[in-house]
Amino acid sequence: MSGDHHDPCAVNSLIETPSCSPVEGRVVWDPAHSLWNGGMLAGALVLGPLTISPGAVAVFVATTGGAILLGHSVGFHRRLIHGSFKCPLWLEHVLVWIGTVVGMSGPFWMIRTHDLRDWAQRQSDCHDYLAHRRPILIDAVWQMHCRLELTHPPGFDLGKIGRDRFYRFLERTWMLQQVPIAGGLYLMGGWGFVIWGVCARVSASVIGHWFVGHLAHRRGPQSWLVEGAGVQAHDVPWAALPTMGEAWHNNHHAFPGSARIGLYPGQSDWGWRFIQLLETAGLAWDVRTPETMGARKVLTPAKP
């Protein structure tokens, strides 16, 4: 798969084309994601208070945390995008399906969006959209309701991932994947479970992903600086638990191919703990960490 690239720090799916640039472009409305994100938020805000119950809140907490841990953090980010560990294909499919039902988009969109931003931030400069430079409200509208159309974009090659029939199916039907979830929740607890287990969960995941991403490129602690990168990352310590370790974003910029993101004492990383559990069970192997990746010459320690 494209994630199994020989360079553990590579941007795996992106291909630099002649004259491609991350700077020039325009931000345009993305109707599909905008209506989806807006509809989920409206459902949560309008119907959430009318259907709240201890059971519904418990469903929200369990499904949100479980989907972010298994799907978004381990399935999408650490396995599919970075290939930081290997596992059986059936397990990868399960984890990526869970990542899809987080509700942000399909696997191909997630890979391209991540890799474009990753590549752009490593350049000396990039568009404000890719750097989260604009004020928080503008950035919120841009990231959750718009897309960037670069004047000279790079190319993409998803490799085996792009040819996988299951992933192609998920990409076409990512919104519809909420239907079986909603049906099961309705049978368990009625409309309250549906509103809190689908609308509130998806909305919290989308907004939380944007908000932590915004902060992680604006302010916060740093251990490392990446030489030549126009955008440096920061850690967001308070978000380590709800993001399952993804909020140690400065560590991730320093060692993007590592399955472990919380690298230092006191840095909670449940995604890493789950991968360790898989490894113990014989379901994960070739697990990469900074110790196994070798020295990265572009890193310098950040000043306190």
Side-chain angles (χ1 to χ4, degrees), residues 68-136:
I68 290 174
L69 170 62
L70 303 177
H72 181 75
S73 179
V74 175
F76 266 172
H77 194 206
R78 306 191 204 205
R79 171 55 210 152
L80 200 65
I81 290 173
H82 288 288
S84 63
F85 68 96
K86 296 178 182 178
C87 67
L89 184 59
W90 69 263
L91 177 58
E92 180 182 292
H93 281 174
V94 170
L95 294 173
V96 171
W97 176 78
I98 297 173
T100 301
V101 300
V102 168
M104 295 181 193
S105 198
F108 298 165
W109 185 93
M110 294 291 291
I111 293 171
R112 293 189 187 102
T113 299
H114 174 282
D115 284 2
L116 178 64
R117 192 180 304 274
D118 192 350
W119 166 75
Q121 291 177 355
R122 299 184 190 196
Q123 311 307 308
S124 59
D125 192 17
C126 66
H127 194 281
D128 286 353
Y129 177 99
L130 297 167
H132 294 278
R133 285 198 193 100
R134 290 300 181 93
I136 190 166

Side-chain angles (χ1 to χ4, degrees), residues 1-299:
M1 304 185 76
S2 66
D4 300 327
H5 199 282
H6 67 279
D7 180 359
C9 295
V11 182
N12 292 308
S13 76
L14 186 139
I15 301 174
E16 294 195 37
T17 55
S19 75
C20 68
S21 169
V23 178
E24 298 178 14
R26 63 191 186 110
V27 178
V28 300
W29 183 48
D30 182 345
H33 288 91
S34 179
L35 294 174
W36 173 259
N37 294 336
M40 287 293 168
L41 178 60
L45 293 177
V46 174
L47 300 176
L50 302 177
T51 58
I52 191 170
S53 68
V57 173
V59 164
F60 166 76
V61 173
T63 56
T64 304
I68 290 174
L69 170 62
L70 303 177
H72 181 75
S73 179
V74 175
F76 266 172
H77 194 206
R78 306 191 204 205
R79 171 55 210 152
L80 200 65
I81 290 173
H82 288 288
S84 63
F85 68 96
K86 296 178 182 178
C87 67
L89 184 59
W90 69 263
L91 177 58
E92 180 182 292
H93 281 174
V94 170
L95 294 173
V96 171
W97 176 78
I98 297 173
T100 301
V101 300
V102 168
M104 295 181 193
S105 198
F108 298 165
W109 185 93
M110 294 291 291
I111 293 171
R112 293 189 187 102
T113 299
H114 174 282
D115 284 2
L116 178 64
R117 192 180 304 274
D118 192 350
W119 166 75
Q121 291 177 355
R122 299 184 190 196
Q123 311 307 308
S124 59
D125 192 17
C126 66
H127 194 281
D128 286 353
Y129 177 99
L130 297 167
H132 294 278
R133 285 198 193 100
R134 290 300 181 93
I136 190 166
L137 293 181
I138 294 176
D139 193 53
V141 173
W142 274 13
Q143 303 298 332
M144 292 184 282
H145 297 278
C146 301
R147 67 176 183 270
L148 174 65
E149 294 184 349
L150 287 174
T151 305
H152 304 288
F156 289 92
D157 181 2
L158 301 183
K160 291 182 180 179
I161 294 173
R163 297 188 294 272
D164 188 296
R165 291 184 178 180
F166 182 63
Y167 295 152
R168 294 169 73 92
F169 167 73
L170 291 181
E171 185 69 17
R172 294 193 304 269
T173 64
W174 67 272
M175 294 183 187
L176 295 177
Q177 296 303 316
Q178 302 299 330
V179 174
I181 305 295
L185 291 173
Y186 180 80
L187 294 176
M188 291 172 55
W191 286 111
F193 278 27
V194 174
I195 297 303
W196 284 86
V198 176
C199 296
R201 169 181 58 79
V202 170
S203 187
S205 299
V206 170
I207 294 173
H209 181 263
W210 156 74
F211 185 55
V212 174
H214 177 84
L215 296 180
H217 296 99
R218 303 274 295 199
R219 62 182 67 86
Q222 291 178 309
S223 300
W224 300 96
L225 297 177
V226 181
E227 182 182 342
V231 179
Q232 301 291 338
H234 303 262
D235 293 330
V236 189
W238 63 263
L241 185 59
T243 63
M244 305 302 167
E246 297 288 333
W248 305 114
H249 203 60
N250 180 258
N251 295 344
H252 179 60
H253 271 227
F255 307 100
S258 174
R260 183 177 185 179
I261 301 177
L263 301 178
Y264 307 114
Q267 294 187 340
S268 171
D269 187 352
W270 284 29
W272 166 245
R273 296 303 181 192
F274 181 73
I275 293 171
Q276 285 186 304
L277 181 63
L278 293 178
E279 188 176 26
T280 300
L283 294 173
W285 58 91
D286 291 349
V287 179
R288 291 199 302 244
T289 64
E291 293 77 17
T292 66
M293 289 165 55
R296 194 176 180 205
K297 298 180 180 179
V298 297
L299 293 182

